Amino acid sequence: MIHPGTTPFAVCELITLPVGEVVTVTPPGMAPISVFHTSDGLYAIDDTCTHQDASLADGWVEGCTVECPLHEACFDLRTGVPSGPPAKIAVRTHDVSIVDGTVLLHFEQKGDTR
């Protein structure tokens, strides 16, 4: 579901992001966001682990979960919620759509309270 008021940002062509791959982008004024292409679909989350400064794009993906490469904190790609310590805070999730073969990321500008 695309939330009203979100800004679309072109990430890449879907053909360049096969299942099992991830791409990280930094839309203007935003922190890095990673888009994961899993067998269940496309998911976008803030790229930085909420426990310690590490790129989740460098983590391991299994199903709809990504494991931080530093301390094994796991996050649900659908909700951003960690499954347990050491991470206690969820990462933000963002909507993703595909229009004419282009992967679009939808995010709210600063002041976002999600």
Side-chain angles (χ1 to χ4, degrees):
M1 176 178 163
I2 306 301
H3 293 84
T6 59
T7 302
F9 180 84
V11 174
C12 63
E13 296 299 314
L14 180 60
I15 196 167
T16 65
L17 186 62
V19 172
E21 294 295 322
V22 59
V23 63
T24 302
V25 294
T26 306
M30 299 289 292
I33 296 172
S34 290
V35 179
F36 295 82
H37 193 178
T38 74
S39 59
D40 292 331
L42 294 165
Y43 300 99
I45 61 173
D46 282 356
D47 182 59
T48 305
C49 178
T50 58
H51 168 249
Q52 196 167 356
D53 191 20
S55 170
L56 294 174
D58 293 336
W60 296 271
V61 176
E62 184 171 331
C64 286
T65 301
V66 61
E67 181 180 318
C68 176
L70 284 186
H71 298 108
E72 303 174 353
C74 293
F75 297 89
D76 188 312
L77 294 172
R78 298 166 292 193
T79 64
V81 174
S83 61
K88 297 178 182 173
I89 299 170
V91 291
R92 289 188 314 166
T93 61
H94 306 277
D95 295 322
V96 179
S97 66
I98 301 168
V99 176
D100 296 331
T102 300
V103 177
L104 297 177
L105 173 66
H106 302 265
F107 58 89
E108 294 182 30
Q109 296 293 332
K110 287 187 173 183
D112 178 2
T113 57
R114 279 196 284 178

